Amino acid sequence: MEFKGVFTALITPLQNQGRTIDFGALRELVERQAAAGVKGVVPCGTTGESPTLSHQEHAEVIRKTVEYARGRLLVVAGAGSNATAEAIQLTADACAAGVDGVMLVSPYYNKPSQDGLIRHFQAVADASTVPVMLYNIRGRTAVNIEVETLQRLIEHPRIQAIKEASGDPAQMTRIIRYCGSRVAMLSGDDNLIPAVMGIGGQGVVSVASNLYPRRMVRMMDLYLKGDFVAANQQFYELFDFMNALFWDVNPTPIKAAAHLRGLCNPELRLPLLSLDSVRQAQLSDLLQRIGEDS
């Protein structure tokens, strides 16, 4: 598969005070993404509240997403864990469900060494039957995938992409310089897309495209064609919204925005809380100024 373009980090709609998954709303979200022409969707990532999903829910969300996608867009399932054996099992379940790829976040909390990262990712990639995208987000995992580590990891034939959310332009530049011929780098932050595309990135794993998939696809197509002037114009139209996604921990703001647009309930699972009333009012005003996805 080709890791290139817009991949939407799907929210997981909840209902019944967050106790159960709203699969009807999930179906509509996937339909909306397919109609907009995104390259793929990424269920069960951070935006999909994977830390609070049971293993059964995790598997069901992925299975249903594949079913709803019906081959119209790629499904790259979040399958990472801080326990290698668990990540292998999640990956095997996702592969059995028919996904096109899996996304593996760095092991969190236990802070492995770089050699530990290599052993972990290699073991999971060995167990996968589909291409692998690594996910580097030190702010949540407390460990960075160093460029030298990535150089060794991409020797594995199934490790083909990295979602870079380090926020470090120097690291991103070094990835392109030393790994760019063998791995696709996608931005992990919507508000850094121009910088990532400017140094040779191939796309974005986007939170904003839950709400604005058509605009994001149009913008990314322009970047990939090399028309940065027109692409940047599209980018700045959504820039305030992209920054609003950092008003609280992800996916709190995007869930609130999706609710304001009638796409799902605003419910999250503890320990996450809904966006406060002041921010909700500000977000509502912002969405009105930006307008609909078109």
Side-chain angles (χ1 to χ4, degrees):
M1 65 169 287
E2 185 179 40
F3 289 98
K4 190 174 186 177
V6 176
F7 289 79
T8 300
L10 278 179
I11 57 178
T12 300
L14 300 173
Q15 58 187 355
N16 299 321
Q17 289 76 52
R19 291 192 297 271
T20 60
I21 295 168
D22 185 347
F23 285 106
L26 180 63
R27 180 194 292 271
E28 291 305 312
L29 285 169
V30 175
E31 287 291 332
R32 196 164 183 269
Q33 298 298 315
V38 301
K39 184 65 175 287
V41 291
V42 183
C44 297
T46 305
T47 309
E49 297 180 72
S50 59
T52 61
L53 298 179
S54 70
H55 286 185
Q56 180 179 349
E57 288 174 327
H58 192 283
E60 186 71 356
V61 168
I62 291 171
R63 188 182 70 79
K64 288 289 190 182
T65 301
V66 171
E67 176 188 325
Y68 301 154
R70 303 200 311 276
R72 295 171 295 169
L73 69 177
L74 300 172
V75 177
V76 180
S81 172
N82 66 332
T84 304
E86 182 175 275
I88 288 173
Q89 185 60 58
L90 291 172
T91 296
D93 291 344
C95 291
V99 301
D100 301 286
V102 293
M103 182 179 73
L104 304 178
V105 71
S106 301
Y108 39 86
Y109 187 75
N110 39 21
K111 298 175 68 173
S113 66
Q114 294 298 302
D115 284 342
L117 283 178
I118 291 169
R119 293 278 297 275
H120 170 85
F121 285 128
Q122 286 176 337
V124 184
D126 284 343
S128 178
T129 59
V130 296
V132 170
M133 174 167 60
L134 305 181
Y135 179 14
N136 187 36
I137 180 164
R138 184 174 187 172
R140 284 187 181 263
T141 65
V143 61
N144 185 55
I145 302 175
E146 301 293 343
V147 177
E148 294 76 13
T149 298
L150 183 60
Q151 286 181 289
R152 292 176 60 185
L153 285 169
I154 59 178
E155 294 174 2
H156 196 293
R158 277 189 285 280
I159 298 177
Q160 299 177 13
I162 182 166
K163 175 185 176 183
E164 242 300 317
S166 67
D168 182 353
Q171 166 147 321
M172 296 175 190
T173 303
R174 292 181 67 232
I175 287 174
I176 296 297
R177 171 67 178 84
Y178 297 110
C179 308
S181 63
R182 292 183 292 158
V183 67
M185 186 179 77
L186 284 76
S187 177
D189 296 300
D190 286 298
N191 60 357
L192 293 180
I193 290 173
V196 172
M197 299 306 293
I199 61 174
Q202 295 295 302
V204 61
V205 180
S206 173
V207 177
S209 57
N210 278 281
L211 221 64
Y212 294 107
R214 293 183 187 278
R215 293 195 188 195
M216 292 294 293
V217 168
R218 186 162 61 246
M219 177 192 68
M220 186 54 63
D221 286 348
L222 289 167
Y223 279 124
L224 290 170
K225 291 175 183 175
D227 190 347
F228 274 70
V229 173
N232 284 344
Q233 181 179 349
Q234 298 286 321
F235 170 77
Y236 282 115
E237 289 178 0
L238 294 176
F239 182 64
D240 289 342
F241 176 66
M242 292 172 178
N243 286 330
L245 298 178
F246 293 93
W247 284 351
D248 203 331
V249 66
N250 185 39
T252 300
I254 190 62
K255 270 278 184 85
H259 174 61
L260 288 168
R261 282 289 163 84
L263 301 177
C264 68
N265 293 319
E267 297 166 6
L268 301 108
R269 284 181 173 170
L270 286 171
L272 298 184
L273 299 175
S274 297
L275 201 63
D276 67 66
S277 58
V278 173
R279 283 299 197 186
Q280 286 188 42
Q282 293 172 338
L283 185 60
S284 179
D285 290 343
L286 177 59
L287 295 182
Q288 288 182 5
R289 291 199 305 272
I290 294 173
E292 298 292 330
D293 188 41
S294 59

